Amino acid sequence: MSPALPEPAPASTEPGPEPVELPAVAPQLRDLRRRAALTLEAAARAAGLSPAHLSRLETGRRQPSLPMLLALARTYGTTVSELLGETPADRDAVVRSGDMEATEAGGWIYRQAGSPGRGMQALRVHVPYGAQGDIVRVHPGEEWLYVLEGRLRLRLGDTAYALEPGDSAHFDSLTPHRIAAADHGGAELLFVHTLLQSPSAALCLGPAAGGGEPTQGGPR
C-alpha cells in the first residue's frame, strides 16, 4: 500500500503586495502638450507613439511605462519628475552674458538666453547674410523675434516684411515662414519660441542641415 500523500497546505489568506502604480500623470501629460503647442498627432509622432495610445495616456485609461515617460519628457523638453507632478528644481532667473555659450551651424550663431526646460525658450541669434534658398519652415508652436542689429527679411505665408532694428514679430509657427538677413554684415536678433522638443539647431532658423524638417517651396 503506497504511503498517503501529504495534504496540500491551505491557501494563504494574507494579502499579497499591492502592484506599484505611477502617480496620476494624465493631467500633466495633457497640460505639458498644450504648453508645447503640440497637437496630439504631432506629440505622439515625436514620442514614437500612436495618437490613440497617447490619448489613452492623457485620459488615464493607460499608465505609461518608463520608456514612454522618458520619450514624452524629451518631447516636451522637461523631466520625468515634472511629468509625475513632482516639484521641479529651482532654475536661475538670471542668465549672465558670460554663460551664454555660442553654438554655430552653417554660419548661424545661437546663444541660449533663458533657462532650459521652460515653457518658452529664448535665444540670441546671429543671422548670416544670404537667403535659405526655398526652405520654408512649418511646425507647431509660437515664435517671437526682435531685431537688435542689421535688417531682417521675414516671410509669413504670402507676405514679405522688412524689419529694422527695434522691430519685432510674433506669429504662429504653423504659418509657413522664413528668415534671412538683408545686409552683408548679417543681423542680430532675440528669438523666443515654444517648440520645446527642439534644440536651437533644429529650429526654423539656420540651414536645413541643422536638423529641422523643411517644407520645400512657398515664401521667398
Side-chain angles (χ1 to χ4, degrees):
M1 184 175 180
S2 59
L5 295 175
E7 294 185 4
S12 173
T13 59
E14 292 296 322
E18 292 291 329
V20 177
E21 291 187 1
L22 292 172
V25 298
Q28 289 290 111
L29 293 178
R30 185 171 54 252
D31 291 346
L32 286 169
R33 177 173 62 79
R34 289 174 177 171
R35 266 173 44 188
L38 290 172
T39 64
L40 189 72
E41 291 75 14
R45 183 169 59 250
L49 303 172
S50 69
H53 196 135
L54 181 55
S55 177
R56 287 192 287 270
L57 295 177
E58 289 189 356
T59 54
R61 287 178 290 166
R62 292 288 297 274
Q63 286 286 330
S65 64
L66 180 57
M68 287 180 192
L69 287 174
L70 291 171
L72 289 167
R74 285 194 298 268
T75 297
Y76 300 146
T78 186
T79 63
V80 171
S81 295
E82 187 172 4
L83 284 180
L84 296 178
E86 298 175 2
T87 303
D90 291 338
R91 303 181 179 98
D92 290 335
V94 175
V95 180
R96 303 294 181 184
S97 60
D99 296 331
M100 296 182 188
E101 296 184 3
T103 300
E104 192 272 340
W108 295 66
I109 300 174
Y110 312 91
R111 288 179 174 84
Q112 192 77 34
S115 301
R118 295 283 191 180
M120 297 183 298
Q121 290 293 291
L123 300 167
R124 179 162 180 156
V125 182
H126 174 77
V127 183
Y129 176 72
Q132 295 176 307
D134 290 332
I135 296 173
V136 178
R137 310 290 178 167
V138 179
H139 52 82
E142 285 185 62
E143 297 176 29
W144 174 89
L145 60 86
Y146 177 91
V147 182
L148 296 169
E149 300 174 12
R151 294 181 303 145
L152 199 71
R153 294 199 303 268
L154 171 66
R155 189 84 185 196
L156 295 176
D158 295 326
T159 306
Y161 300 91
L163 277 64
E164 304 282 343
D167 291 342
S168 64
H170 188 173
F171 52 93
D172 189 323
S173 306
L174 288 174
T175 302
H177 54 282
R178 192 184 63 178
I179 296 169
D183 298 327
H184 285 275
E188 195 83 11
L189 57 90
L190 292 177
F191 182 83
V192 177
H193 71 100
T194 59
L195 188 60
L196 294 180
Q197 74 275 23
S198 293
S200 59
L203 296 175
C204 68
L205 306 173
E213 290 296 330
T215 299
Q216 298 297 329
R220 296 279 185 249

